[in-house]
């Protein structure tokens, strides 16, 4: 069980209210992730290269 599941369990069992859980579930640091949820979205991507960091 990860920490997010634990927080949801705390709300379900009334140890934490919904507002507190939502505040704790927010991202602490922004990230540059994207989610492509359909085959069509994936088909529109084109790999241009990479570089070693």
């Amino acid at each position: 069980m990860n920490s997010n599941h634990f927080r949801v369990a705390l709300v379900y069992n009334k140890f934490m209210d919904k507002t507190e859980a939502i505040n704790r579930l927010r991202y602490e640091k922004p990230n540059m992730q994207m989610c492509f949820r359909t085959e069509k979205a994936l088909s529109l991507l084109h790999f241009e290269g990479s570089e070693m960091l």
Side-chain angles (χ1 to χ4, degrees):
M1 177 185 302
N2 69 29
S3 62
N4 289 341
H5 288 112
F6 182 68
R7 287 182 184 119
V8 171
L10 289 174
V11 172
Y12 183 77
N13 292 308
K14 301 190 188 305
F15 290 109
M16 181 187 301
D17 67 19
K18 291 178 186 178
T19 303
E20 179 65 21
I22 290 169
N23 286 334
R24 291 183 182 204
L25 288 170
R26 292 180 192 201
Y27 286 114
E28 293 178 10
K29 296 179 184 176
N31 58 43
M32 300 300 290
Q33 295 180 7
M34 294 184 188
C35 178
F36 298 94
R37 299 182 59 178
T38 65
E39 289 293 324
K40 182 178 179 182
L42 290 173
S43 72
L44 298 173
L45 297 176
H46 174 76
F47 178 74
E48 294 187 359
S50 64
E51 63 182 64
M52 185 71 77
L53 301 176

